[in-house]
């Protein structure tokens, strides 16, 4: 090998990769788990501000939308600086979001605090850690990302009852301030876990990726998906208290049940994908099934039925973890953060208008009209995802390619690896880790 030239070595899955997985789990615990638990305050906020369902739904919708709209910028920041820096910055945003929300005297204060600041902070936290974990795993990537995203389910499990207990014994403002105080030390630990591998060779993001049929189909399907995807999560506790006359404490348990079933579903689905089931198939089937379940949402008329329904619905909701895996399957890892960011920006359109629009329909025409609209939108997105699998004409990452370790650029002076010109890579030190 000529002096000064760059060659490549293959980096297989390594135990070091589970360090950022732990950090990512904590990130999802607070970003998405906290969002799920926040929806347990729906009826409390509706009564506090004398607002309609649609008005209160804008809080969660704005948080999701800004999480997704900010993803492109988050991806660029992670490439420009590091995942550790971006996660740390997002932790500050999320903490301030909870503190600021606790001082709200008008509903628009919550739109700004939790919707804008909370959404942007959650974007920095969740998008960065998923992209980082993708660098560490090839063979078990779906399983690793499954464990990261399982943090959202565990967050819903733990934080749902915590939100309800603090609100019942004190008030919702005190609840948010206590939560902010817990976020700080746990997210410091998560930030320290954001250890990156020797980076892959960076490729300049070119417009050609946006002409890829896979990208185009994702950009079209995701707004339909997220228009209906959050409906159940936003109204889960409100439906229980207003339609089924459940106690708020029992209604908060539904969020925990959702979290348990969602966590189990995410891990099981990630194992299936790693066993050679194409992630896009799992993604599409999960969305279609979730859409069908959403359509029949208003038929649930007893608390026991609601608990069973929540378990089944949350298992199919777990398929939502497949999007980062799908993107990594079809695009080079070097552009995955930017691809994730741009397609999530399209998804933000659906998240922004979905739950409030459904809320307007519920207020005017009843639960059936809102559920059918959201469910059909979800099911349509699932069908569109299947079209990607059967119509994409550009080369995909095959199963054989998926087994190949990631190609990493290494200078011939690198102290961690020595690349022989006509032979295998000779490891001189343990797997390289760069902070």
């Amino acid at each position: 090998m000529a002096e000064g030239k760059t060659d490549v070595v293959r980096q297989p899955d390594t135990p070091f990769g589970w360090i950022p997985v732990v950090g990512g789990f904590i990130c999802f615990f607070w970003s998405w788990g906290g969002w799920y638990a926040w929806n347990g305050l729906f009826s409390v906020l509706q009564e506090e501000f004398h607002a309609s369902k649609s008005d209160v739904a804008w809080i969660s919708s704005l948080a999701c939308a800004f999480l997704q709209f900010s993803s492109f910028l988050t991806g660029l920041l992670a490439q420009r600086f590091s995942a550790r820096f971006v996660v740390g910055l997002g932790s500050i945003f999320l903490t301030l979001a909870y503190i600021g929300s606790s001082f709200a005297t008008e509903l628009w204060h919550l739109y700004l605090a939790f919707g804008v600041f909370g959404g942007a902070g959650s974007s920095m936290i969740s998008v960065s850690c998923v992209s980082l974990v993708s660098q560490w795993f090839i063979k078990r990537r779906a399983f690793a990302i499954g464990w990261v995203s399982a943090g959202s389910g565990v967050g819903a499990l733990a934080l749902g009852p915590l939100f309800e207990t603090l609100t019942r014994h004190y008030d919702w403002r005190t609840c948010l301030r206590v939560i902010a105080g817990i976020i700080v030390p746990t997210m410091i630990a998560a930030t320290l876990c954001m250890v990156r591998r020797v980076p892959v060779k960076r490729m300049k993001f070119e417009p050609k990726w946006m002409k890829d049929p896979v990208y185009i189909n994702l950009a079209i399907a995701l707004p339909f998906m997220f228009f209906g995807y959050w409906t159940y999560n936003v109204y889960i506790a409100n439906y229980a208290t207003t339609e089924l006359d459940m106690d708020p404490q029992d209604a908060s348990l539904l969020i925990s049940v959702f979290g348990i079933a969602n966590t189990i579903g995410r891990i099981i689905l990630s194992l299936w994908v790693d066993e050679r089931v194409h992630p896009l198939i799992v993604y599409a089937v999960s969305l279609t099934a979730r859409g069908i379940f959403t359509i029949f949402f208003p038929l649930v008329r007893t608390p026991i039925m609601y608990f069973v329904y929540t378990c089944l619905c949350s298992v199919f909701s777990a398929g939502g973890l497949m999007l980062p895996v799908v993107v990594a399957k079809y695009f080079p890892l070097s552009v995955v953060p930017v691809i994730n960011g741009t397609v999530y920006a399209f998804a933000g359109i659906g998240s922004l208008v979905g739950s409030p629009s459904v809320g307007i329909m519920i207020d005017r025409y009843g639960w059936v009209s809102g559920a059918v609209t959201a469910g059909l939108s979800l099911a349509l997105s699932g069908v569109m995802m299947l079209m990607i699998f059967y119509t994409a004409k550009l080369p995909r990452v095959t199963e054989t390619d998926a087994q190949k370790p990631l190609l990493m650029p290494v200078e011939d002076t690198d102290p961690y690896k020595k690349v022989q010109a006509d032979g295998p890579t000779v490891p001189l030190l343990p797997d390289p880790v760069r902070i």
Side-chain angles (χ1 to χ4, degrees):
M1 185 175 64
E3 184 178 358
K5 289 186 177 181
T6 300
D7 202 5
V8 298
V9 295
R10 294 179 174 180
Q11 297 288 348
D13 295 356
T14 167
F16 285 106
W18 292 102
I19 297 175
V21 167
V22 172
F25 180 93
I26 298 173
C27 290
F28 268 70
F29 181 96
W30 286 114
S31 58
W32 286 108
W35 181 86
Y36 289 139
W38 173 277
N39 292 313
L41 300 176
F42 193 101
S43 297
V44 174
L45 297 176
Q46 191 176 9
E47 181 180 353
E48 173 85 9
F49 296 100
H50 307 288
S52 66
K53 286 181 172 61
S54 177
D55 291 337
V56 177
W58 275 109
I59 303 172
S60 294
S61 292
L62 283 168
C64 285
F66 270 88
L67 187 156
Q68 293 163 329
F69 287 145
S70 305
S71 296
F72 177 70
L73 179 60
T74 297
L76 293 179
L77 286 174
Q79 281 194 330
R80 175 63 179 84
F81 299 100
S82 67
R84 175 175 290 180
F85 171 82
V86 177
V87 168
L89 184 62
S91 303
I92 296 174
F93 271 63
L94 190 61
T95 303
L96 292 177
Y98 276 93
I99 295 175
S101 296
S102 70
F103 291 99
T105 56
E106 300 287 344
L107 206 56
W108 69 267
H109 296 165
L110 294 177
Y111 296 163
L112 179 62
F114 191 80
V116 178
F117 273 83
S122 295
S123 174
M124 297 179 196
I125 290 171
S126 57
V127 174
S128 300
C129 68
V130 169
S131 299
L132 181 66
V133 170
S134 296
Q135 296 177 9
W136 282 92
F137 295 91
I138 295 297
K139 183 179 179 181
R140 308 295 286 175
R141 179 182 296 149
F143 185 63
I145 293 178
W147 273 105
V148 169
S149 60
S152 62
V154 177
L157 167 65
L159 296 178
L162 180 59
F163 269 58
E164 191 280 330
T165 301
L166 291 173
T167 302
R168 176 160 44 89
H169 287 286
Y170 302 99
D171 55 56
W172 66 273
R173 299 178 187 277
T174 302
C175 169
L176 297 183
R177 291 164 191 165
V178 172
I179 294 298
I182 302 175
I183 289 176
V184 175
T186 53
M187 283 308 302
I188 289 176
T191 302
L192 294 176
C193 289
M194 293 294 106
V195 181
R196 68 182 176 92
R197 205 170 193 178
V198 177
V200 299
K201 182 179 180 181
R202 291 183 179 178
M203 295 177 62
K204 183 179 180 181
F205 182 78
E206 300 175 358
K208 69 176 183 179
W209 299 116
M210 303 183 73
K211 299 177 182 178
D212 188 309
V214 175
Y215 182 93
I216 294 173
N217 276 276
L218 285 174
I220 296 173
L222 287 176
F224 286 95
M225 170 191 167
F226 284 100
F227 181 92
Y229 192 80
W230 304 122
T231 298
Y232 178 70
N233 300 101
V234 170
Y235 296 107
I236 178 174
N238 181 256
Y239 184 83
T241 55
T242 60
E243 298 297 315
L244 304 182
D245 296 323
M246 292 177 62
D247 182 86
Q249 187 173 2
D250 293 333
S252 70
L253 291 178
L254 287 166
I255 299 177
S256 296
V257 170
F258 181 93
I260 295 172
N262 189 260
T263 300
I264 295 173
R266 287 172 184 264
I267 295 173
I268 292 176
L269 289 179
S270 65
L271 285 172
W272 283 351
V273 169
D274 279 332
E275 292 297 326
R276 301 297 181 265
V277 178
H278 198 287
L280 195 53
I281 298 295
V282 176
Y283 195 35
V285 171
S286 297
L287 292 180
T288 304
R290 171 74 184 269
I292 295 173
F293 269 88
T294 302
I295 291 174
F296 293 102
F297 178 30
L299 297 181
V300 178
R301 304 306 305 172
T302 66
I304 294 178
M305 287 179 62
Y306 202 26
F307 274 98
V308 174
Y309 176 90
T310 298
C311 290
L312 295 174
C313 188
S314 60
V315 169
F316 288 109
S317 299
L321 74 93
M322 290 298 125
L323 182 56
V325 182
V326 169
V327 172
K329 188 86 171 176
Y330 282 89
F331 297 93
L333 281 179
S334 52
V335 297
V336 161
V338 182
I339 293 290
N340 274 331
T342 54
V343 296
Y344 268 122
F346 287 104
I349 299 172
S351 295
L352 180 63
V353 301
S355 296
S357 299
V358 171
I360 292 175
M361 300 187 70
I362 293 172
D363 286 331
R364 294 184 179 180
Y365 309 110
W367 286 92
V368 173
S369 61
V372 170
T373 302
L376 289 177
S377 181
L378 258 175
L380 176 61
S381 71
V383 174
M384 295 173 72
M385 292 296 178
L386 281 177
M387 291 174 58
I388 296 177
F389 182 77
Y390 288 108
T391 63
K393 299 184 182 300
L394 291 186
R396 299 193 191 99
V397 178
T398 65
E399 295 297 342
T400 301
D401 293 333
Q403 299 176 38
K404 295 179 180 179
L406 179 62
L407 296 180
M408 312 285 287
V410 179
E411 299 292 339
D412 58 352
T413 57
D414 191 284
Y416 294 95
K417 296 284 185 177
K418 177 182 178 182
V419 182
Q420 296 180 355
D422 298 314
T425 299
V426 179
L428 299 180
L429 292 174
D431 190 85
V433 176
R434 301 284 173 80
I435 298 177

